[in-house]
Amino acid sequence: MSFLLIDFGASYIKAVKYQDNALTDQKIYPSPFRKSDSISREALFRIFGEVLSNYPDCDRVVCCSILNGGYMNNIYYSWKTSNVAHDNIDLITGLFTNSPTFHQHEDHNPKGKGGLQVLGTLYGKQFYSILGDTNCVKRSVPLGEKEYILNLGTGSQILGVRYTHCFIPSGRAFYVYQNFFKQFGFDMFEYFSSLTVNDILRSTIEFDLNVFEQSHLYNSGGSIQNINESQFNKRHFFSSMLKSYIFQYVKILKILNPAKVYLTGGISRKYPVIREVVSKELGVEAELLQQDYEDTHIGMCNIIKENI
C-alpha cells in the first residue's frame, strides 16, 4: 500500500511517497500563496493534477494544509486575508464539498472528526481527512511535559503538549526586508549564515518584526529602534535583526520554563546559530532535528501508523 503525503504550505508544496515505513521520492513545488492571498477551486484542482501525475503508483493520499482561511464564491482566501466572510472550510477539504463522505478534520474545525477518515476521490485517488500543518509538526515529536517545539518557517509556532502560540513573525517578515535589500543586489539570507553567537548577543539595534496585520503583536507596522552612529554598520544591523527574531521566542519560552526545546522548520536548519542562542539564553538543551524529510511528513506518517 503506497501513500502520497502532501504538505500544501505557504511557500512550497512538498510531496513524498510513503511505503513500507519509508519515505522516498520527495518533490517540491512553489506554492501559489507565495504571490497571492487567494486561489480558485479550479486552479487548486489543476495543481493537484500536476502533483498527482508524478506519483502514478500511489493510490491513497494524506495531506496537510495551512490553517484558517475559507471559501467564498469558489475562491479560497488564506489566513493572510482579513475581513472576508468565508465559510471556514480549509483549503483542500473545500475540493470535496460534493463528496458523500465530506468532513473536516478536527485540526481545522473543533467540531470535526479525529483520526483519518475517507474524504473523497480526486483524479482516481482516495483522499483522507485533511490535516493541519501545525498539528502535523506537533505530531512529529513525542513531547513530554515542559518540552516544546520551536517551529520556524514562513510562519512559526511554539508548540507544547497543551500549548500553541502562533503568528509570531518569521519567514514572512524576513521576506519584507529581503525583498528590499535585493533591490540593491544584497542577499540578506546568505549574509545571515556568516553571523556568530557573539555577533548576535552583542547587537543592540531593536527590530519590531510585526510587519503584517495577522502577526501576534501587530500595531500599525514594524519598526527599527536604538540606532546610534558608532554601531550602525552592516554586521551590527543584521546581527540585531536576527537577535530580535530569536528573542521573540526566547521571551515567551522563558515564561514557559521549558525542560527541553526541539527546533524544527527550514529556518532552524538553515541557521544552526539559532539553536545555540536559544540554548544559551534558556539554559536548557535545544535540539535541532535534522530530519531528511519535512517535519509535517513525519507527523503524517505517525498518524497513518495510528489509524490505518
Side-chain angles (χ1 to χ4, degrees):
M1 184 186 302
S2 298
F3 286 88
L4 174 60
L5 311 183
I6 303 174
D7 173 2
F8 203 115
S11 295
Y12 297 99
I13 302 166
K14 292 156 282 193
V16 67
K17 181 179 178 180
Y18 177 54
Q19 185 177 25
D20 299 327
N21 292 319
L23 293 169
T24 58
D25 197 15
Q26 182 170 253
K27 294 181 172 63
I28 298 176
Y29 311 81
S31 171
F33 295 111
R34 296 178 70 177
K35 297 182 178 180
S36 176
D37 294 345
S38 61
I39 188 172
S40 68
R41 275 193 175 92
E42 292 75 16
L44 182 61
F45 187 82
R46 289 194 297 270
I47 288 172
F48 270 97
E50 177 187 354
V51 175
L52 296 174
S53 68
N54 290 315
Y55 296 89
D57 58 337
C58 294
D59 54 357
R60 300 186 178 194
V61 183
V62 176
C63 300
C64 70
S65 67
I66 51 180
L67 298 174
N68 303 310
Y71 283 85
M72 183 176 67
N73 299 327
N74 285 317
I75 302 293
Y76 173 81
Y77 294 91
S78 78
W79 62 273
K80 295 182 181 181
T81 308
S82 58
N83 301 320
V84 175
H86 54 65
D87 60 9
N88 295 308
I89 295 176
D90 53 280
L91 175 66
I92 305 171
T93 302
L95 293 176
F96 296 90
T97 51
N98 294 323
S99 170
T101 50
F102 170 81
H103 66 275
Q104 283 188 279
H105 192 270
E106 61 186 5
D107 286 358
H108 292 284
N109 183 339
K111 297 180 179 179
K113 294 185 178 182
L116 285 176
Q117 316 286 332
V118 173
L119 175 61
T121 301
L122 192 65
Y123 289 101
K125 299 183 185 293
Q126 188 175 71
F127 276 66
Y128 289 84
S129 311
I130 307 305
L131 307 170
D133 55 357
T134 298
N135 306 78
C136 285
V137 172
K138 195 170 183 177
R139 295 182 181 106
S140 70
V141 181
L143 289 176
E145 293 291 338
K146 305 301 287 185
E147 293 184 342
Y148 294 89
I149 297 171
L150 178 52
N151 183 43
L152 306 179
T154 303
S156 70
Q157 304 85 30
I158 298 174
L159 307 170
V161 175
R162 288 174 293 277
Y163 180 87
T164 300
H165 192 140
C166 299
F167 300 108
I168 309 167
S170 189
R172 183 180 176 186
F174 276 155
Y175 271 112
V176 172
Y177 286 94
Q178 169 73 345
N179 291 337
F180 174 77
F181 287 109
K182 281 185 72 174
Q183 296 177 60
F184 305 98
F186 178 76
D187 189 330
M188 179 183 90
F189 291 152
E190 182 178 328
Y191 190 75
F192 275 166
S193 298
S194 72
L195 301 178
T196 68
V197 172
N198 285 337
D199 288 330
I200 293 167
L201 294 181
R202 292 172 181 171
S203 62
T204 58
I205 301 173
E206 296 177 1
F207 287 78
D208 179 348
L209 296 171
N210 291 273
V211 296
F212 54 94
E213 289 186 8
Q214 296 84 358
S215 56
H216 69 151
L217 297 177
Y218 181 82
N219 183 16
S220 78
S223 63
I224 305 173
Q225 298 183 40
N226 205 27
I227 295 172
N228 64 73
E229 62 180 352
S230 63
Q231 292 183 310
F232 196 52
N233 57 65
K234 181 170 69 174
R235 196 161 194 85
H236 193 79
F237 183 90
F238 289 105
S239 296
S240 297
M241 186 188 296
L242 196 52
K243 179 180 180 179
S244 295
Y245 173 72
I246 298 169
F247 273 59
Q248 298 176 115
Y249 306 101
V250 168
K251 182 178 180 180
I252 297 168
L253 286 165
K254 281 186 175 180
I255 296 171
L256 296 172
N257 191 28
K260 183 174 182 178
V261 176
Y262 296 92
L263 282 91
T264 64
I267 292 178
S268 296
R269 296 187 184 112
K270 189 170 184 179
Y271 308 115
V273 70
I274 294 175
R275 183 204 65 80
E276 297 181 63
V277 174
V278 169
S279 181
K280 184 177 180 66
E281 288 300 307
L282 294 177
V284 300
E285 180 184 1
E287 181 179 347
L288 177 59
L289 296 179
Q290 294 285 1
Q291 315 269 32
D292 292 330
Y293 293 92
E294 298 297 322
D295 305 289
T296 48
H297 290 154
I298 302 298
M300 281 187 265
C301 290
N302 289 338
I303 196 171
I304 289 171
K305 293 174 184 176
E306 293 171 3
N307 292 275
I308 299 177

